[in-house]
Structure formats: structure tokens, C-alpha cells
Amino acid sequence: LMRKAAALTDSAMTAIRDALADGKPYTERELALLADRAMLAGGADRTAFDSMVQSGPRSAYNLARPTDRVVQPGDLVMTDIGARYRGYVADGGRGFTYGPANAEKRAIVAAAARAVEAGLAAARPGTLACDLNTAIQRSIVASGYEAYSSEARGHGTGHGTGMDPEEEQPMIHPANRTVLQENMVFTLKATITVPDVGGLRTERIVRLSHDGVEALDQFPMENYW
């Protein structure tokens, strides 16, 4: 059920990508509605939460509901979208550049993806939640975005998900010494938000397997459209 919820969330991102590929203008609200329709058409009971699409300078807000702002070429866009399916939910964060974006915006996308990849590489049964947090946190700090990332400053780099988008455990947090166990399901995330430039939250839902992690969502983490 979690895999299906994650796949439906992936379909929402596919709908946004395909819409923008036609070159027509879309508002944040229109893209969020396309995402919702894609999830419902695929069998979702409903959305897990209000779908977020934030573009341009608004993508530097930690979270904000979509508006009538038209997505512009060169924008960095943050999305936070999830599907609810038969009582289970997915919590998916992705971002992308739209059109010819500058190197600074592309670097933000790459840095967030690298940080989550560091977490994927470090996650194993028997690992302490705080040590997994450290792997992601260090990557963000090393990329130079410590001042622009709550995760880099100790907010935590993941949380349990299942019947609720943000379950309390296992919190992937500097203070949590929970020993991670096989079949735990949680997100790994990296948020970078630079005022007047833009930002994104890159988030992957994983199940801890006997020797690593299974990614439940498959949509790419590094997107330049």
C-alpha cells in the first residue's frame, strides 16, 4: 500500500513535468490541480495533504500553498505532494528548475539531491537515527548551504511515514538514538531555501531492508526542466 501511494505521488510529478513541457503558461494553482487529478485518476483515495507548488522567490518559503503566480522560465520550483491510498500515505518533496536557470539555482537542486543520496548510502539496520541524520546534515554543510537549510542546522533530516504523512517515529534527528530496524518506513530529506533566489525540499520515502534501503518513490531527485 505504501509503494502504491508513493507511485501515485510519482504520477503527480510526472503530470507537472509533462504539462510544463508543452511551453504553455501555468500558474502554481493549475500545476497543483494537475498533480491532484493525476493521483486521483490513478486510484488515490485523496491527497495526503494540500499539494504545495511554489515558484520563483516563493520557493524560498519553507512551505506555502500555491497561488496564481505563473511559473516563469528560469524559476526554481518547490513541490511537496503526497497521495493517500487505502489508509496509507506518501510524503514526497521534489524541486526543479524550469527553463534556462542559472548555475546558482541548478547548484541548489544538485546539493539537495547529493545530501539525500548520502543518507541512502548510510541507512542500514542497526544504524542509530542520529548517525543517519549526520550523514545528510554533513553533506548539506559541505555544500555551503548551512545558513539556508534547517536540516543543516539540526532540525532533523527525516521522519516516519505510514498512516500519517509525518509520524513521530523514527525521527531522523540529531538527538534520536533509536536503533533503526528492518522494515521501518521513513523519509530522508534535505531542504535548501535561499531568499530572493529560491529553494526546494528533496525527499525520498524508504523502507529499511536487511542490507540497505528500498526507495518506495522512484521519481528522479535532480530535475532540470
Side-chain angles (χ1 to χ4, degrees), residues 149-202:
S149 172
S150 58
E151 288 91 344
R153 299 192 301 275
H155 177 73
T157 57
H159 55 75
T161 188
M163 299 183 78
D164 186 84
E166 293 193 17
E167 296 183 345
E168 290 301 318
Q169 293 292 345
M171 292 295 291
I172 311 304
H173 187 275
N176 187 6
R177 297 189 60 82
T178 296
V179 178
L180 300 177
Q181 304 291 330
E182 185 175 353
N183 288 323
M184 284 184 171
V185 177
F186 48 89
T187 69
L188 296 175
K189 63 188 180 74
T191 306
I192 300 172
T193 52
V194 181
D196 301 319
V197 176
L200 77 165
R201 176 176 298 102
T202 299

Short mmCIF file of all heavy atoms in Angstrom, two decimals, residues 149-202:
data_model
loop_
_atom_site.label_atom_id
_atom_site.label_comp_id
_atom_site.label_asym_id
_atom_site.label_seq_id
_atom_site.Cartn_x
_atom_site.Cartn_y
_atom_site.Cartn_z
N SER A 149 19.55 26.08 5.34
CA SER A 149 18.92 24.77 5.48
C SER A 149 18.64 24.48 6.94
O SER A 149 19.57 24.43 7.76
CB SER A 149 19.82 23.68 4.91
OG SER A 149 19.31 22.39 5.20
N SER A 150 17.38 24.24 7.27
CA SER A 150 17.04 23.89 8.66
C SER A 150 17.62 22.53 9.02
O SER A 150 18.02 22.31 10.17
CB SER A 150 15.52 23.90 8.84
OG SER A 150 14.89 23.00 7.94
N GLU A 151 17.68 21.62 8.07
CA GLU A 151 18.27 20.31 8.34
C GLU A 151 19.75 20.44 8.68
O GLU A 151 20.26 19.76 9.58
CB GLU A 151 18.10 19.37 7.15
CG GLU A 151 16.70 18.87 6.93
CD GLU A 151 15.88 19.75 5.99
OE1 GLU A 151 16.30 20.90 5.75
OE2 GLU A 151 14.85 19.30 5.51
N ALA A 152 20.45 21.34 7.99
CA ALA A 152 21.87 21.54 8.27
C ALA A 152 22.09 22.13 9.65
O ALA A 152 23.17 21.95 10.24
CB ALA A 152 22.49 22.45 7.20
N ARG A 153 21.08 22.79 10.19
CA ARG A 153 21.20 23.44 11.50
C ARG A 153 20.59 22.60 12.62
O ARG A 153 20.40 23.09 13.73
CB ARG A 153 20.56 24.83 11.46
CG ARG A 153 21.23 25.78 10.45
CD ARG A 153 20.77 27.21 10.65
NE ARG A 153 19.34 27.37 10.52
CZ ARG A 153 18.70 27.55 9.36
NH1 ARG A 153 19.38 27.58 8.23
NH2 ARG A 153 17.39 27.70 9.34
N GLY A 154 20.28 21.32 12.33
CA GLY A 154 19.86 20.42 13.39
C GLY A 154 18.39 20.16 13.53
O GLY A 154 17.95 19.53 14.50
N HIS A 155 17.58 20.60 12.55
CA HIS A 155 16.13 20.40 12.63
C HIS A 155 15.75 18.93 12.48
O HIS A 155 14.71 18.50 12.98
CB HIS A 155 15.43 21.23 11.55
CG HIS A 155 13.95 21.04 11.50
ND1 HIS A 155 13.10 21.55 12.46
CD2 HIS A 155 13.15 20.38 10.61
CE1 HIS A 155 11.85 21.24 12.15
NE2 HIS A 155 11.86 20.52 11.05
N GLY A 156 16.58 18.16 11.82
CA GLY A 156 16.26 16.76 11.53
C GLY A 156 16.11 16.54 10.05
O GLY A 156 15.68 17.44 9.31
N THR A 157 16.46 15.35 9.59
CA THR A 157 16.52 15.09 8.15
C THR A 157 15.57 13.98 7.71
O THR A 157 15.74 13.41 6.63
CB THR A 157 17.96 14.72 7.74
OG1 THR A 157 18.38 13.57 8.50
CG2 THR A 157 18.92 15.87 7.98
N GLY A 158 14.56 13.69 8.52
CA GLY A 158 13.59 12.69 8.10
C GLY A 158 12.62 12.37 9.22
O GLY A 158 12.79 12.77 10.37
N HIS A 159 11.58 11.61 8.87
CA HIS A 159 10.54 11.25 9.83
C HIS A 159 9.81 10.02 9.34
O HIS A 159 9.79 9.72 8.14
CB HIS A 159 9.55 12.41 10.02
CG HIS A 159 8.94 12.88 8.72
ND1 HIS A 159 7.95 12.18 8.07
CD2 HIS A 159 9.19 13.97 7.96
CE1 HIS A 159 7.61 12.82 6.95
NE2 HIS A 159 8.36 13.92 6.87
N GLY A 160 9.21 9.31 10.27
CA GLY A 160 8.39 8.17 9.89
C GLY A 160 7.21 8.60 9.05
O GLY A 160 6.72 9.73 9.16
N THR A 161 6.75 7.70 8.21
CA THR A 161 5.52 7.95 7.45
C THR A 161 4.82 6.62 7.25
O THR A 161 5.46 5.57 7.22
CB THR A 161 5.81 8.65 6.11
OG1 THR A 161 4.58 9.04 5.50
CG2 THR A 161 6.56 7.75 5.15
N GLY A 162 3.50 6.67 7.14
CA GLY A 162 2.73 5.44 7.01
C GLY A 162 1.26 5.77 6.92
O GLY A 162 0.76 6.09 5.85
N MET A 163 0.56 5.75 8.04
CA MET A 163 -0.85 6.13 8.03
C MET A 163 -1.03 7.63 8.21
O MET A 163 -2.14 8.14 8.09
CB MET A 163 -1.61 5.36 9.11
CG MET A 163 -1.55 3.85 8.90
SD MET A 163 -2.50 2.88 10.08
CE MET A 163 -4.15 3.13 9.40
N ASP A 164 0.06 8.32 8.48
CA ASP A 164 0.08 9.78 8.57
C ASP A 164 1.32 10.26 7.83
O ASP A 164 2.35 9.57 7.85
CB ASP A 164 0.13 10.21 10.04
CG ASP A 164 0.01 11.72 10.20
OD1 ASP A 164 -1.13 12.22 10.21
OD2 ASP A 164 1.05 12.38 10.30
N PRO A 165 1.27 11.42 7.16
CA PRO A 165 2.44 11.87 6.40
C PRO A 165 3.67 12.08 7.27
O PRO A 165 4.79 11.88 6.81
CB PRO A 165 1.98 13.19 5.79
CG PRO A 165 0.50 13.15 5.79
CD PRO A 165 0.11 12.32 6.97
N GLU A 166 3.48 12.50 8.52
CA GLU A 166 4.62 12.76 9.39
C GLU A 166 4.38 12.08 10.73
O GLU A 166 3.94 12.71 11.69
CB GLU A 166 4.86 14.26 9.56
CG GLU A 166 5.29 14.94 8.29
CD GLU A 166 5.83 16.35 8.52
OE1 GLU A 166 6.14 16.67 9.68
OE2 GLU A 166 5.91 17.10 7.54
N GLU A 167 4.67 10.79 10.79
CA GLU A 167 4.58 10.08 12.05
C GLU A 167 5.80 10.41 12.90
O GLU A 167 6.87 10.73 12.39
CB GLU A 167 4.46 8.58 11.79
CG GLU A 167 3.18 8.22 11.05
CD GLU A 167 3.01 6.73 10.83
OE1 GLU A 167 3.99 6.00 10.99
OE2 GLU A 167 1.88 6.32 10.50
N GLU A 168 5.64 10.30 14.19
CA GLU A 168 6.72 10.74 15.09
C GLU A 168 7.97 9.88 14.95
O GLU A 168 9.09 10.37 15.00
CB GLU A 168 6.23 10.71 16.55
CG GLU A 168 5.20 11.78 16.85
CD GLU A 168 5.72 13.18 16.61
OE1 GLU A 168 6.87 13.47 16.96
OE2 GLU A 168 4.97 13.99 16.04
N GLN A 169 7.81 8.58 14.77
CA GLN A 169 8.98 7.70 14.77
C GLN A 169 9.05 6.89 13.48
O GLN A 169 8.03 6.53 12.92
CB GLN A 169 8.95 6.75 15.97
CG GLN A 169 9.12 7.46 17.30
CD GLN A 169 10.51 8.05 17.49
OE1 GLN A 169 11.45 7.72 16.76
NE2 GLN A 169 10.66 8.95 18.44
N PRO A 170 10.26 6.60 13.01
CA PRO A 170 11.52 7.06 13.61
C PRO A 170 11.89 8.46 13.11
O PRO A 170 11.97 8.69 11.91
CB PRO A 170 12.55 6.04 13.12
CG PRO A 170 12.01 5.62 11.77
CD PRO A 170 10.51 5.69 11.88
N MET A 171 12.08 9.39 14.03
CA MET A 171 12.57 10.71 13.64
C MET A 171 14.06 10.59 13.33
O MET A 171 14.83 10.07 14.13
CB MET A 171 12.36 11.72 14.77
CG MET A 171 10.90 12.06 15.04
SD MET A 171 10.08 12.89 13.65
CE MET A 171 10.92 14.47 13.69
N ILE A 172 14.46 11.06 12.16
CA ILE A 172 15.88 11.08 11.81
C ILE A 172 16.39 12.44 12.28
O ILE A 172 16.27 13.45 11.58
CB ILE A 172 16.08 10.86 10.30
CG1 ILE A 172 15.26 9.64 9.83
CG2 ILE A 172 17.55 10.67 9.99
CD1 ILE A 172 15.56 8.35 10.56
N HIS A 173 16.94 12.46 13.48
CA HIS A 173 17.20 13.71 14.20
C HIS A 173 18.48 13.59 15.01
O HIS A 173 18.82 12.49 15.48
CB HIS A 173 16.00 14.00 15.12
CG HIS A 173 16.04 15.32 15.80
ND1 HIS A 173 16.73 15.53 16.99
CD2 HIS A 173 15.50 16.52 15.47
CE1 HIS A 173 16.59 16.78 17.35
NE2 HIS A 173 15.86 17.41 16.45
N PRO A 174 19.21 14.69 15.21
CA PRO A 174 20.47 14.62 15.95
C PRO A 174 20.34 14.06 17.36
O PRO A 174 21.31 13.48 17.88
CB PRO A 174 20.93 16.09 15.99
CG PRO A 174 20.27 16.75 14.85
CD PRO A 174 18.96 16.06 14.69
N ALA A 175 19.17 14.20 17.99
CA ALA A 175 19.01 13.77 19.38
C ALA A 175 18.38 12.39 19.52
O ALA A 175 18.19 11.90 20.63
CB ALA A 175 18.19 14.78 20.15
N ASN A 176 18.05 11.74 18.41
CA ASN A 176 17.33 10.47 18.48
C ASN A 176 18.30 9.29 18.34
O ASN A 176 18.88 9.08 17.27
CB ASN A 176 16.27 10.40 17.37
CG ASN A 176 15.37 9.18 17.51
OD1 ASN A 176 15.47 8.43 18.49
ND2 ASN A 176 14.51 8.98 16.54
N ARG A 177 18.44 8.51 19.41
CA ARG A 177 19.33 7.36 19.40
C ARG A 177 18.59 6.05 19.17
O ARG A 177 19.08 4.96 19.50
CB ARG A 177 20.14 7.31 20.70
CG ARG A 177 21.06 8.53 20.88
CD ARG A 177 22.00 8.36 22.06
NE ARG A 177 22.87 7.20 21.92
CZ ARG A 177 23.99 7.18 21.20
NH1 ARG A 177 24.38 8.28 20.54
NH2 ARG A 177 24.72 6.09 21.13
N THR A 178 17.42 6.13 18.56
CA THR A 178 16.69 4.93 18.18
C THR A 178 17.52 4.10 17.21
O THR A 178 18.12 4.63 16.26
CB THR A 178 15.36 5.31 17.50
OG1 THR A 178 14.54 6.00 18.44
CG2 THR A 178 14.62 4.08 16.99
N VAL A 179 17.58 2.79 17.45
CA VAL A 179 18.27 1.89 16.54
C VAL A 179 17.30 1.53 15.41
O VAL A 179 16.22 1.00 15.64
CB VAL A 179 18.73 0.62 17.27
CG1 VAL A 179 19.40 -0.34 16.28
CG2 VAL A 179 19.67 0.96 18.41
N LEU A 180 17.67 1.86 14.18
CA LEU A 180 16.79 1.62 13.05
C LEU A 180 16.71 0.12 12.73
O LEU A 180 17.73 -0.57 12.74
CB LEU A 180 17.29 2.40 11.83
CG LEU A 180 17.34 3.92 12.03
CD1 LEU A 180 17.92 4.60 10.80
CD2 LEU A 180 15.95 4.48 12.34
N GLN A 181 15.49 -0.35 12.45
CA GLN A 181 15.24 -1.77 12.25
C GLN A 181 14.70 -2.03 10.85
O GLN A 181 14.07 -1.17 10.23
CB GLN A 181 14.22 -2.26 13.28
CG GLN A 181 14.61 -2.01 14.72
CD GLN A 181 15.78 -2.86 15.18
OE1 GLN A 181 15.98 -3.97 14.68
NE2 GLN A 181 16.57 -2.34 16.12
N GLU A 182 14.95 -3.24 10.36
CA GLU A 182 14.42 -3.64 9.06
C GLU A 182 12.91 -3.45 9.01
O GLU A 182 12.21 -3.70 9.99
CB GLU A 182 14.77 -5.11 8.78
CG GLU A 182 14.37 -5.59 7.40
CD GLU A 182 14.83 -7.00 7.10
OE1 GLU A 182 15.58 -7.58 7.92
OE2 GLU A 182 14.44 -7.54 6.04
N ASN A 183 12.43 -2.98 7.87
CA ASN A 183 11.02 -2.73 7.57
C ASN A 183 10.47 -1.44 8.16
O ASN A 183 9.30 -1.13 7.95
CB ASN A 183 10.12 -3.90 7.97
CG ASN A 183 10.30 -5.08 7.04
OD1 ASN A 183 10.48 -4.90 5.83
ND2 ASN A 183 10.29 -6.29 7.59
N MET A 184 11.29 -0.65 8.87
CA MET A 184 10.86 0.70 9.20
C MET A 184 10.72 1.51 7.91
O MET A 184 11.50 1.34 6.97
CB MET A 184 11.86 1.39 10.13
CG MET A 184 11.81 0.93 11.56
SD MET A 184 12.97 1.89 12.59
CE MET A 184 12.48 1.34 14.22
N VAL A 185 9.71 2.37 7.86
CA VAL A 185 9.48 3.22 6.69
C VAL A 185 9.56 4.68 7.15
O VAL A 185 8.92 5.07 8.12
CB VAL A 185 8.10 2.94 6.06
CG1 VAL A 185 7.85 3.90 4.89
CG2 VAL A 185 8.03 1.50 5.58
N PHE A 186 10.38 5.45 6.43
CA PHE A 186 10.56 6.85 6.80
C PHE A 186 11.04 7.63 5.58
O PHE A 186 11.39 7.06 4.55
CB PHE A 186 11.57 7.00 7.96
CG PHE A 186 12.85 6.23 7.80
CD1 PHE A 186 13.94 6.79 7.16
CD2 PHE A 186 12.96 4.94 8.30
CE1 PHE A 186 15.13 6.09 7.01
CE2 PHE A 186 14.15 4.23 8.16
CZ PHE A 186 15.23 4.81 7.52
N THR A 187 11.04 8.93 5.72
CA THR A 187 11.56 9.79 4.66
C THR A 187 12.97 10.23 5.00
O THR A 187 13.36 10.28 6.17
CB THR A 187 10.70 11.05 4.46
OG1 THR A 187 10.84 11.90 5.60
CG2 THR A 187 9.23 10.71 4.26
N LEU A 188 13.72 10.56 3.97
CA LEU A 188 15.00 11.24 4.11
C LEU A 188 14.89 12.52 3.31
O LEU A 188 14.43 12.49 2.16
CB LEU A 188 16.14 10.37 3.60
CG LEU A 188 16.37 9.06 4.37
CD1 LEU A 188 17.45 8.23 3.69
CD2 LEU A 188 16.75 9.34 5.82
N LYS A 189 15.30 13.66 3.89
CA LYS A 189 15.03 14.92 3.20
C LYS A 189 16.14 15.93 3.40
O LYS A 189 16.88 15.89 4.39
CB LYS A 189 13.70 15.51 3.66
CG LYS A 189 13.63 15.88 5.13
CD LYS A 189 12.21 16.28 5.52
CE LYS A 189 12.11 16.64 6.99
NZ LYS A 189 12.70 17.95 7.31
N ALA A 190 16.21 16.84 2.44
CA ALA A 190 17.13 17.97 2.50
C ALA A 190 16.42 19.18 1.94
O ALA A 190 15.95 19.16 0.79
CB ALA A 190 18.40 17.69 1.71
N THR A 191 16.33 20.23 2.74
CA THR A 191 15.70 21.48 2.31
C THR A 191 16.76 22.57 2.22
O THR A 191 17.55 22.73 3.14
CB THR A 191 14.62 21.93 3.31
OG1 THR A 191 13.70 20.86 3.51
CG2 THR A 191 13.89 23.16 2.81
N ILE A 192 16.78 23.28 1.10
CA ILE A 192 17.67 24.43 0.93
C ILE A 192 16.81 25.58 0.40
O ILE A 192 16.18 25.44 -0.65
CB ILE A 192 18.82 24.14 -0.04
CG1 ILE A 192 19.67 22.97 0.49
CG2 ILE A 192 19.69 25.38 -0.25
CD1 ILE A 192 20.72 22.49 -0.51
N THR A 193 16.77 26.69 1.11
CA THR A 193 15.97 27.84 0.68
C THR A 193 16.81 29.10 0.80
O THR A 193 17.18 29.50 1.91
CB THR A 193 14.69 27.96 1.54
OG1 THR A 193 15.05 27.94 2.93
CG2 THR A 193 13.73 26.82 1.26
N VAL A 194 17.08 29.72 -0.32
CA VAL A 194 17.92 30.92 -0.38
C VAL A 194 17.02 32.12 -0.72
O VAL A 194 16.45 32.17 -1.81
CB VAL A 194 19.03 30.77 -1.42
CG1 VAL A 194 19.92 32.02 -1.44
CG2 VAL A 194 19.87 29.53 -1.14
N PRO A 195 16.86 33.08 0.19
CA PRO A 195 15.99 34.23 -0.07
C PRO A 195 16.35 34.94 -1.37
O PRO A 195 17.53 35.10 -1.70
CB PRO A 195 16.24 35.12 1.15
CG PRO A 195 16.66 34.19 2.22
CD PRO A 195 17.46 33.13 1.55
N ASP A 196 15.32 35.34 -2.10
CA ASP A 196 15.43 36.07 -3.37
C ASP A 196 16.03 35.22 -4.50
O ASP A 196 16.21 35.72 -5.62
CB ASP A 196 16.26 37.34 -3.20
CG ASP A 196 15.66 38.29 -2.18
OD1 ASP A 196 14.42 38.43 -2.18
OD2 ASP A 196 16.41 38.87 -1.37
N VAL A 197 16.35 33.97 -4.23
CA VAL A 197 16.84 33.05 -5.27
C VAL A 197 15.84 31.92 -5.48
O VAL A 197 15.34 31.71 -6.57
CB VAL A 197 18.24 32.48 -4.90
CG1 VAL A 197 18.69 31.45 -5.95
CG2 VAL A 197 19.26 33.60 -4.78
N GLY A 198 15.56 31.21 -4.40
CA GLY A 198 14.62 30.10 -4.48
C GLY A 198 15.11 28.92 -3.67
O GLY A 198 16.15 28.98 -3.00
N GLY A 199 14.35 27.84 -3.71
CA GLY A 199 14.74 26.67 -2.95
C GLY A 199 13.88 25.47 -3.28
O GLY A 199 13.03 25.51 -4.16
N LEU A 200 14.13 24.41 -2.52
CA LEU A 200 13.38 23.18 -2.72
C LEU A 200 13.57 22.28 -1.52
O LEU A 200 14.47 22.48 -0.70
CB LEU A 200 13.85 22.44 -3.99
CG LEU A 200 15.17 21.65 -3.90
CD1 LEU A 200 15.30 20.70 -5.07
CD2 LEU A 200 16.37 22.58 -3.85
N ARG A 201 12.70 21.29 -1.44
CA ARG A 201 12.85 20.21 -0.48
C ARG A 201 12.91 18.92 -1.30
O ARG A 201 11.98 18.60 -2.03
CB ARG A 201 11.69 20.16 0.50
CG ARG A 201 11.75 18.97 1.47
CD ARG A 201 10.62 19.03 2.50
NE ARG A 201 10.76 20.22 3.32
CZ ARG A 201 10.02 21.32 3.16
NH1 ARG A 201 9.11 21.38 2.19
NH2 ARG A 201 10.21 22.36 3.93
N THR A 202 13.99 18.19 -1.17
CA THR A 202 14.12 16.90 -1.83
C THR A 202 13.92 15.82 -0.79
O THR A 202 14.61 15.78 0.23
CB THR A 202 15.50 16.77 -2.50
OG1 THR A 202 15.64 17.80 -3.48
CG2 THR A 202 15.65 15.42 -3.18
#
